[in-house]
Amino acid sequence: QMLQAIRMTERLNTKKMKEGKPVRKRRPAAVLVPLCTVDNEPAILFTLRSATLSSHAGQISFPGGHADCVDEEREDPVVTAIRETKEELL
C-alpha cells in the first residue's frame, strides 16, 4: 500500500509540474498503530499532541513522525515509526 501511495504522489507531482504548478518536496514519515489492552479489552493507543506545538497542536494522533537522515539511509518506515514512538512515549 505504501508503494501505491508513493506512485500516486509521483503521478500527482508530474501532473503539477506539467501544469507549471509548484511541487513541495515532502520528507518521509511513518506512524505506528499500537494495539494494546485496557481492562482486558482490546484498544488502540493514541497520543495527544502538545498545545504548544506550531502544527497540529492539541490534536489526537498516532505516534510517529518524520524520518531522520539515519532512517532515510535505511529507507525503512518501521525504523522511523518505532523511533518516533519511543521519543513520544518515553
Side-chain angles (χ1 to χ4, degrees), residues 5-90:
I6 291 169
R7 287 184 181 138
M8 187 171 69
T9 301
E10 288 173 348
R11 285 193 300 269
L12 180 60
N13 286 342
T14 301
K15 181 181 176 190
K16 283 183 175 182
M17 286 172 30
K18 286 180 181 177
E19 295 172 354
K21 295 179 181 175
V23 176
R24 283 193 330 186
K25 185 175 181 181
R26 299 189 184 267
R27 288 177 37 205
V31 297
L32 186 70
V33 182
L35 304 176
C36 57
T37 57
V38 176
D39 297 328
N40 293 322
E41 294 290 327
I44 299 174
L45 180 68
F46 294 97
T47 59
L48 179 61
R49 293 178 56 84
S50 171
T52 61
L53 294 173
S54 60
S55 65
H56 309 292
Q59 291 184 354
I60 296 171
S61 63
F62 291 118
H66 290 289
D68 282 347
C69 59
V70 173
D71 299 334
E72 289 176 23
E73 288 173 11
R74 293 184 179 180
E75 297 183 318
D76 187 352
V78 173
V79 172
T80 298
I82 291 172
R83 179 187 46 75
E84 285 286 334
T85 299
K86 285 180 181 178
E87 289 176 8
E88 292 176 23
L89 299 181
L90 300 180

